[in-house]
Amino acid sequence: MGRMLQAYPLVGLLNVAVTCIKCGMLEDVYDAIGKQMADGITLPTPLPESKDTHSTLESATDNALHSAEPAKSVPVEDITREIGAYYQLDHEKTSNNKSVLEMRVNLLRKLVDCDSWLAKQFFVNEFESLGHGEFFSFLTEHISLMPTELKQFLNGDMYEKSHFEVCMLQHQLMVIISQALNSLWDGEVVTKQMISTFLLKQFPNLSFKMEVGSVENFLDIVGEYRGIAMSKCVLFSQTLMGVHGQAMLAHDDDYVVELETIGRVTDVSQKIGKLESVSSQDAIEVLLRAPMLSDLSRWSHWDIKFAPHLGPLVGWLLNEVNRTDLLCLVTKDGNVIRIDSSASVDLFLQSALQSSPFQTAVQLLSLFSILGGQKHVPLSLLKCHARRAFEVVLDDKEVTNSWNLQMQEKAAGMSKLSDESFQNSTGKCNAVLVASRYFLECLSYIPSEFRAFAADVLLSGMQSVIKHVPSTILSECKLVEERIMLHEVGLYLGIVEWIDDYLVYCSSTDVEMCKPGEAPSFKAGTSKSSTDSLSAIYNPQKSSPAEEDNNVSSLVSKGQSTINNEICHSSDNPEVCIDKSLAQNETVEYEDAYSIIESIRGEEFGLDPSLSGTESSLLKKQHARLGRALHCLSQELYSQDSHFLLELVQNADDNTYLENVEPALIFILQKSGIIILNNERGFSAQDIRALCDVGNSTKKGSAGYIGKKGIGFKSVFRVTDAPEIHSNGFHIKFDISEGQIGFVLPTVIPPLDHNVLSKFTSAKIDHFNTSCWKTCIVLPFRSDLLEGTGSNNFISMFSDIHPALLLFLHRLRCITFRNMHDDSHIAMRKETCGNGIIRISYGKEEMNWFVACKKLHGNIGRCNVQTTEIALAFGLKESTDGNYIPRLDMQPVFAFLPLRTYGLKFILQGDFVLPSSREEVDGDNPWNQWLLSEFPDLFVNAEGSFCSLPCFRDNLGKAVTAYMSYVPLIGEVHGFFSSLPRTIISKLRHSNCLLLEGDKATWVPPCKVVRGWNEEAQVLLPDLLLQNHLGLGFIKKDISLSDPLARTLGVEEYGPKLLLQIITSLCQKKDSLPSMGLSWLTAWLNAVYKMYVHSAQASRDLGMGTDIIETLRKLPFIPLSDGTFSSVDEDTIWLHSDVSGNDSEHGMDAFPMLYAKLRIVNPAFLTALDADISCVDMCSKDNIIRMLLIVGVQRLSTHEIMKVHVLPSICDDKSARWSNNLLTEFLCFVFIHLQSSCPSCHVERDFLISELRNRAFIVTKQGNKRPIEVPIHYGKEYGSSFDLCKFFNDIQLDWHEVDTNYLKHSSTKSVVGGKKKWKRFFEEIGITEFVQVVKVDRRMVDMPDTCFGKAGVDRNHISSGSVAEDWESFELDNLLSLLSASGNRVGSEFFLEVFDKLWDDYFSEKTIGYFNDKCNGNRIPFKSSFLNSICGVPWVVSCIDDKLHYPKDLFYDCDSVHSILGSFAPCAVPKVFKVFLKLVDELKCGKVSSEDTLQVSGYLKKSEYTVLPTVHNRWVSLHPSFGLVCWCDDEKLMKEFGSLDKIELLHFGELTDDEKEMISVKLPLLMHSLGIPTFSKVVTREAIYYGLMDSSSKASFVNWVLPYAQRYIYYEHPDTYAKLKQSGFYNLSHLRVVVVERLYYKNIIRDLSVASEKRLETTTFLQNENITLRHLETFKLKFDPTPKLVGLI
């Protein structure tokens, strides 16, 4: 509920409002508020409580308790479908021309009644009986399934006049944002503005609106989608650019200027066509034949051939295609460019060496895309390869000759170029021209947004061999398009020469400054633009990319070092490097060592006793300056004090050892310092000299040595001021206590005592003797470290040493730490176990590592290094059964020594170039980028060796699971190695790294396997079916992959999407689906339903559920009763009546043609379940039915057939050409059903009638017509009193009458009173007996001035925005015009007769129109256009001549007129008042008896005697059908009620004052005799009171006094008492007394539920047996025997 309140904030208020409405409270509240507003006051007290509130609540509670029924468990789908129908009924009514407030009120009102409406639909007493609890609880749980308009209402998402909105598919938005997240730099935070920027750059021609919402919540969903986006075969160009949006990675200092951007507008036109049916596999085969860098949409003619069946290209690629050999890039121009998914840095180098601009463009664009864009592309490495390629290619004459040949061939085919111009050009075709033309060709193939990146790479390479590169390229630019391309790149990269040319070009008015024909171009026809980068592919004059590659392929071996990549493992024998230059027993004598040291002090540092004082002073200053610099370097070199230990380990590993010695190193911690022992050969004089220098290491350039900078030893000065070295006869120290020059100045010291050394190396350190330690380094602690907790700090330093340090050391195999404080020691030792397993022991703990190595040959960026090695180490834990399980702790990256963790779960080792801190990898170094690019291949290839381990040989699935757990996911790794997950996953996607289920080990790529399957899936989708149709197989059941990894690798999930793909393939291949059989299809649909329901919530979160249903609606998988298969989208499909019931009273026999057109589900489809009970559970049939209904199959019910099939069919334009019998049968079906008691029809009747009136075709004697288009009438056959058809045929007027086929249809014959019911039905849908008169709304400006004048209204006094309700009849206008023009007396007499007969029933109410004043709400009547038409044409026959006259010129022909005005004079219709007076007089004189009066009264009660005129200009009788008929005896009382539209008041004509007085005197008795009540009699009073009080005392008084009053009347006025007794006076004994604080009454007409707006204050009110008294009022009994009133006052 909480989530729903957050998502739909109005739900809480809605619950309160609905509860109030149901209990009757809301109406009272609004009444009170309205009263306060009307009185203009604010009451300080609470609103008055309704006296009915408590009783209503109690009644509601009782009803709820008594109406409980057993749960029926109606399916959720049925309920939600009915709710959708409920809100669809009057959609037009509630949405058109309504304000937001009105729409919300309507929706709220509908929601209040929705639960009771649903109960009626399912024939239960209340919603709870459906088995889903209370209605609002159901609404909360299933809110996502509700109608869109209801969800918008609950979410407050309703806007004025917002009838149509377009939004981006959530699925595609997530893909774009997921890809963009991978391109963010460290520390960047995603904002709404950033998302908007990405979308605007990807789609520059569109604008986007960011709705209110939480970016964090959105990113949480995107995070789940991130892996899925990685596995897609579509990349969006702008997500690769980073936030700044341009592929400009680095700028040379020479090119730095302020950048500008150029806006471009792309005009993309689409042509939609339709060819034969195509499948996804057909489309894939076509796209795989497309050349690289081609626009797949244009190349395949997608919009014409494939889009009609598969939809838009990008959406199809994202949803349907999961292949590694098809990768494309969507540019901001909207082009879908194919790129090479196997692109690599090596292939780029090969293409550059071949001088193939096309292949170079392919590799550059593909690399930039698949590596993740600006953030991850190895720019330095690409520039290094570019320089190398230009150096090699331009030094070889074969290249120039090859390009000469190419240009001659291309120029020969260019008809626009003259031979002379070609000769001038080819004469200077040198290396510069080759490079420049290669550059321009390459850039022309690349989309515009990536050209800056490509130009940056290529320009860097050209600068190494060509001077003034920008100017040179510009001089070779011959076409206008090429210059524009350079201008764009120049603006992006800040290239001054190209920017200057752009400015000159834009300011020039000479249109001939650069014509294509002035110089040879290497392209045929026109140059390529960003929107047509492959136009030359279709031009036979341009050599193909393959020909370019063959021209200079021989150069590859000259420029590229052969890279032999092989997987190797640590040898079983320790690798020991022997320095042959040294004799085995060489020892430097002490005297020689002393002389070497002194020579260093003198030669390197100038320490000579013979120096003068001035020279000595200057030398000391220089030493001090150098010492301070070295001190800063030593202190700032590392962030941790413990790093000096690693540097000492590195130095020890770089040392040389004897063959029979196990290289070892010992650290001994004592109170005064640290002693380091190493069993190497010992220091040489060259080593000593290197220690006395910076950057002059003896290990420079040596393969396999770690050291490089010669400054590692200086790190010991973080813990000591005077380190000592005792090795091979050298005994020196570097003392900085007397000066900073001590960092590099050696000082001779006495030799170390061997007895002390033997004490340190006790027997605890086995198999090492004292004599083996050739080198001893002593590090006395600084004084500040000797105090406090210094020793504890050093103990922690030793614990910081990672045991895996030994894995990648070349020589050292044992490192020991000894603590002299507690006489303890711990050793770490490396042991090679074979099969790539290395065991590291650390004390009693053992760690196993699987190590994979790869030797590389190359000197990229390091000319003095020819070979190197990279390695990966995967941690393993040995279980009790001898098997290995993965260790997934975060591991550091090693550059022989551990650097830091980057988020990898395995150790990565490489000879990386490090900055001075030696704790980070130099990310801009091309050597490091090259090493990084080689690790993905090593990782992928190592899987085979890992799975070959003995413990995994019998369970390869377990091995794959273990190995895949090491795969890093995107976002887990950071820093320099952040691109590694993307490249590893890309390689894995292209490799056969997963196993298929089965006895045979079949390795396949991830995109070819299905995970999450079960035994039911294997039965449903056999291997052959899955392979033939989708090219997939089930993954080995022992392989377990995490969900993020599986999504990233592109592994298919067994779920609704897969089942959808298999059925799609079966539907697209001819006869494939029928061959599977109905039993298989039922099992498939059952599986789809169970998966759809199980994953409904997840599907909705990812925006996929609706897509699946929409796709199913389009697939022809539903078997029909005629043996074919069809889809719901083609037309409505109905579920067989035996399954869902048929409520029609007339069977299929009555409507054979209609049912023949229905597409009904094959009955055998559901009975097929019974054939194989073993594979279907008991609920399978229900599941299948529910799924069919979800897809859109309709239940075969009469109402649904009428609404979904019949009504749309007869409203379709095609039905105008139907046969009479068919169209008759369809409308008869509607007619018969509307006569039934269908509850849905009761609710939807207005909508259905409106559709029939406005859209349906009716069979007439003149053809099939629509009532809305031409007036249609029913004739005598349907009960008309006149043969109008014959009459209008005689006067040659088109008169469309309904055909009699409807009466002849068999269904009509069984209907009682069929003719009358057809007549009423026709009148409902706008078919009339006589001319049609329609209601129209007119604007004030369209109304003629005469209407205002006759209505007595000034046009200026009515708001201009007001609307006039008018009646008009074009048919009548034509008829009267025709009669008037022809002078047809017979027709006019007939017309008068018809009018006279039909006037009261059909036309009397249409003579008056109304002005609806928008400002004050008044309705002002005026003479309608219909009446003006009757009165405005001379068409009436006169008895005095043969002419036709205006109606106003003639009078009613009757005896009264003749008696007063004569036989030839016109007369007026007599006043009704005088008729009644004459009747009164004759009644008094006896001419009319009381029996006559009763007879007249009897006639007046019949419907046909409509002789009473009313104020509404209608003639009525006293028949109940005319409502309440009375006469006014109290005008003041009548005015209280305002409009009296619901009452028929007799109209006596315009009366004088005397005549009005006569009414009250003479008419009451006659009216009473005739049964016509007075207005005052139909009005009663109703009490309004506040503040109920204690009435016991006054009740006692009344009860006491009443008997005396009765006795008095009985004795004094016996006649009156008798009359009172007859009137119920005896009931006074049952009188109840009520006392209140305030008492009012108002006049009401109960029969019509009409109340006066005026209320009057009173003190006493008597009604029935209740008497209500105002508090503190005294009262007395008043009796007057003459009036008929006895009351208490």
Side-chain angles (χ1 to χ4, degrees), residues 192 194 306 342 442 446 496-497 668 773 860 1024 1340 1468 1519 1542 1578 1655:
K192 291 182 181 179
M194 185 181 296
F306 297 102
S342 62
C442 183
I446 297 177
V496 177
E497 292 86 345
I668 302 172
W773 308 111
I860 300 170
L1024 189 60
M1340 291 296 104
H1519 189 270
K1542 298 182 179 180
V1578 301
R1655 70 176 186 179

Side-chain angles (χ1 to χ4, degrees), residues 884-1078:
Y884 291 118
I885 57 177
R887 295 174 62 102
L888 300 178
D889 303 331
M890 291 298 106
Q891 301 295 342
V893 171
F894 276 66
F896 297 103
L897 300 177
L899 302 179
R900 68 175 182 87
T901 60
Y902 287 84
L904 295 169
K905 289 173 281 191
F906 53 86
I907 294 177
L908 183 146
Q909 151 65 26
D911 186 12
F912 295 107
V913 175
L914 308 177
S916 298
S917 66
R918 297 182 67 85
E919 294 178 344
E920 185 63 79
V921 177
D922 184 359
D924 294 330
N925 188 278
W927 170 271
N928 292 341
Q929 292 179 357
W930 175 59
L931 292 182
L932 180 63
S933 68
E934 298 294 335
F935 278 105
D937 281 331
L938 174 59
F939 185 94
V940 172
N941 294 332
E943 183 186 12
S945 301
F946 184 87
C947 295
S948 299
L949 293 175
C951 62
F952 293 135
R953 287 173 184 169
D954 296 332
N955 193 340
L956 290 178
K958 183 178 180 181
V960 174
T961 299
Y963 193 77
M964 288 298 167
S965 63
Y966 294 109
V967 176
L969 298 177
I970 296 174
E972 292 181 350
V973 184
H974 47 84
F976 173 70
F977 299 93
S978 61
S979 64
L980 197 59
R982 176 183 290 272
T983 51
I984 287 177
I985 290 171
S986 178
K987 292 289 184 182
L988 286 173
R989 282 173 52 81
H990 286 80
S991 67
N992 297 329
C993 60
L994 296 179
L995 285 165
L996 291 180
E997 176 65 13
D999 298 332
K1000 184 180 179 181
T1002 304
W1003 294 87
V1004 293
C1007 63
K1008 298 295 184 182
V1009 299
V1010 177
R1011 69 188 289 259
W1013 56 274
N1014 50 29
E1015 293 182 0
E1016 181 181 344
Q1018 275 192 309
V1019 174
L1020 181 63
L1021 304 177
D1023 293 340
L1024 189 60
L1025 175 69
L1026 202 57
Q1027 178 62 37
N1028 290 344
H1029 285 275
L1030 301 182
L1032 300 174
F1034 292 114
I1035 194 173
K1036 200 169 186 63
K1037 61 182 178 180
D1038 297 328
I1039 297 179
S1040 176
L1041 303 177
S1042 67
D1043 291 341
L1045 177 61
R1047 288 194 294 262
T1048 306
L1049 290 175
V1051 176
E1052 291 286 352
E1053 293 282 345
Y1054 179 67
K1057 183 179 178 182
L1058 182 71
L1059 295 179
L1060 187 64
Q1061 290 174 338
I1062 197 73
I1063 200 69
T1064 301
S1065 180
L1066 287 169
C1067 291
Q1068 290 171 344
K1069 293 184 179 180
K1070 186 177 180 181
D1071 298 331
S1072 293
L1073 186 58
S1075 67
M1076 299 302 297
L1078 295 181

Side-chain angles (χ1 to χ4, degrees), residues 1438-1545:
S1438 172
C1439 61
I1440 60 176
D1441 57 26
D1442 295 333
K1443 296 181 180 180
L1444 299 180
H1445 300 269
Y1446 288 96
K1448 66 181 179 179
D1449 296 334
L1450 300 176
F1451 296 88
Y1452 185 60
D1453 187 8
C1454 63
D1455 294 338
S1456 299
V1457 172
H1458 295 309
S1459 65
I1460 298 173
L1461 300 178
S1463 59
F1464 297 102
C1467 63
V1469 176
K1471 290 184 179 179
V1472 176
F1473 169 71
K1474 291 186 177 180
V1475 174
F1476 280 111
L1477 283 181
K1478 183 177 180 182
L1479 189 58
V1480 170
D1481 294 337
E1482 291 179 349
L1483 186 62
K1484 285 183 178 181
C1485 68
K1487 290 184 179 182
V1488 176
S1489 65
S1490 58
E1491 290 77 9
D1492 295 333
T1493 305
L1494 291 175
Q1495 187 177 9
V1496 171
S1497 176
Y1499 285 129
L1500 290 176
K1501 291 178 181 179
K1502 296 181 179 181
S1503 60
E1504 60 267 23
Y1505 287 90
T1506 54
V1507 296
L1508 299 176
T1510 68
V1511 294
H1512 299 309
N1513 198 22
R1514 290 192 290 265
W1515 291 84
V1516 301
S1517 69
L1518 298 182
H1519 189 270
S1521 62
F1522 293 101
L1524 180 61
V1525 180
C1526 60
W1527 63 283
C1528 179
D1529 62 338
D1530 190 341
E1531 292 185 1
K1532 184 182 298 185
L1533 182 62
M1534 186 177 67
K1535 290 180 180 179
E1536 283 187 24
F1537 289 85
S1539 177
L1540 294 173
D1541 293 338
K1542 298 182 179 180
I1543 301 178
E1544 297 292 348
L1545 287 173

Side-chain angles (χ1 to χ4, degrees), residues 669-680:
L669 174 64
Q670 53 183 351
K671 292 183 178 181
S672 59
I674 301 175
I675 298 176
I676 300 97
L677 302 178
N678 184 214
N679 60 351
E680 59 142 342

Side-chain angles (χ1 to χ4, degrees), residues 75 77-78 81 1082 1085-1086 1089 1135-1136 1138-1141 1161 1165-1167 1169 1179-1196:
E77 295 82 4
D78 291 353
R81 186 183 304 105
T1082 56
L1085 195 59
N1086 181 42
Y1089 176 79
L1135 198 58
H1136 195 267
D1138 291 341
V1139 177
S1140 61
V1161 176
F1165 179 53
L1166 295 174
T1167 58
L1169 290 169
C1179 300
S1180 296
K1181 182 176 291 188
D1182 293 336
N1183 293 345
I1184 293 171
I1185 293 174
R1186 291 191 186 103
M1187 196 64 208
L1188 288 173
L1189 295 177
I1190 291 173
V1191 171
V1193 175
Q1194 299 291 328
R1195 293 182 182 273
L1196 194 61

Side-chain angles (χ1 to χ4, degrees), residues 1088-1307:
V1088 170
Y1089 176 79
K1090 290 190 290 187
M1091 291 181 182
Y1092 176 79
V1093 173
H1094 179 71
S1095 60
Q1097 185 61 45
S1099 298
R1100 286 193 293 270
D1101 291 343
L1102 296 178
M1104 296 166 56
T1106 305
D1107 295 339
I1108 292 176
I1109 298 303
E1110 288 301 318
T1111 305
L1112 281 175
R1113 290 178 61 87
K1114 299 175 183 177
L1115 291 176
F1117 74 93
I1118 302 176
L1120 303 182
S1121 56
D1122 61 358
T1124 62
F1125 290 80
S1126 186
S1127 66
V1128 174
D1129 264 11
E1130 293 180 22
D1131 200 356
T1132 306
I1133 298 179
W1134 303 90
L1135 198 58
H1136 195 267
S1137 57
D1138 291 341
V1139 177
S1140 61
N1142 182 8
D1143 62 356
S1144 174
E1145 297 177 0
H1146 299 79
M1148 294 184 180
D1149 295 338
F1151 306 98
M1153 290 184 289
L1154 187 153
Y1155 280 97
K1157 283 184 171 291
L1158 293 181
R1159 299 166 358 122
I1160 301 175
V1161 176
N1162 192 340
F1165 179 53
L1166 295 174
T1167 58
L1169 290 169
D1170 302 329
D1172 189 6
I1173 301 299
S1174 61
C1175 64
V1176 181
D1177 55 42
M1178 298 299 295
C1179 300
S1180 296
K1181 182 176 291 188
D1182 293 336
N1183 293 345
I1184 293 171
I1185 293 174
R1186 291 191 186 103
M1187 196 64 208
L1188 288 173
L1189 295 177
I1190 291 173
V1191 171
V1193 175
Q1194 299 291 328
R1195 293 182 182 273
L1196 194 61
S1197 67
T1198 307
H1199 183 77
E1200 292 300 324
I1201 292 176
M1202 178 196 67
K1203 181 180 174 182
V1204 178
H1205 179 71
V1206 176
L1207 196 59
S1209 297
I1210 62 177
C1211 292
D1212 193 289
D1213 292 338
K1214 297 177 181 178
S1215 60
R1217 299 184 296 272
W1218 282 10
S1219 66
N1220 289 355
N1221 292 336
L1222 181 60
L1223 193 56
T1224 298
E1225 186 168 300
F1226 271 58
L1227 189 63
C1228 285
F1229 187 90
V1230 177
F1231 166 74
I1232 292 296
H1233 183 65
L1234 289 178
Q1235 307 304 314
S1236 68
S1237 58
C1238 174
S1240 298
C1241 287
H1242 177 71
V1243 177
E1244 303 179 23
R1245 188 177 184 87
D1246 291 343
F1247 167 74
L1248 298 173
I1249 294 298
S1250 175
E1251 287 290 292
L1252 291 170
R1253 178 189 293 268
N1254 297 320
R1255 299 179 57 199
F1257 280 92
I1258 307 296
V1259 179
T1260 72
K1261 296 176 181 179
Q1262 288 77 27
N1264 301 338
K1265 306 293 181 181
R1266 277 193 175 113
I1268 195 67
E1269 296 175 353
V1270 295
I1272 302 177
H1273 312 276
Y1274 58 84
K1276 295 197 67 174
E1277 299 87 353
Y1278 293 95
S1280 174
S1281 305
F1282 308 96
D1283 190 358
L1284 296 173
C1285 187
K1286 180 178 181 302
F1287 165 70
F1288 286 108
N1289 289 336
D1290 291 342
I1291 64 173
Q1292 298 182 351
L1293 179 70
D1294 290 336
W1295 186 259
H1296 300 280
E1297 268 197 6
V1298 178
D1299 196 281
T1300 58
N1301 283 352
Y1302 295 112
L1303 292 175
K1304 299 175 183 178
H1305 194 269
S1306 60
S1307 62

